Amino acid sequence: SVGPGRGTPSLSAALRRDAMGIDFVRGGGGRVKNKKREIKSENPYLVLLCKLYKFLARRTDSKFNKVIYKRLNMSGRNRPPLSLSKLMKFMDGKDGKIAVVVGA
């Protein structure tokens, strides 16, 4: 509604406009953006491996455990492949070491 003769909004219209809520759909608030991915596999061995490395990644300061846990939780489409030739190249000069491959 317009005030008396000047074209300015009345006090009641200004109060109603200030009392409106926040538009979450357009504002982008109120929704979860980063949901932690949990394993969806039915394989009990893979589930136990994920539980073990989740614990180790949390309780130790080893970067290795965090990487293994992250790669165990990746979907099959996002899990990068690793060929035997590339594995041989990475392990060149590391005799006596054990290689761990989590991938396809």
Side-chain angles (χ1 to χ4, degrees), residues 85-99:
S85 61
K86 191 166 272 198
L87 179 63
M88 286 172 50
K89 189 173 80 173
F90 286 146
M91 293 302 291
D92 190 31
K94 296 179 182 171
D95 296 331
K97 296 282 186 175
I98 298 172

Side-chain angles (χ1 to χ4, degrees), residues 20-32:
M20 284 190 203
I22 299 169
D23 189 1
F24 282 122
V25 176
R26 294 296 300 266
R31 64 175 183 256
V32 177

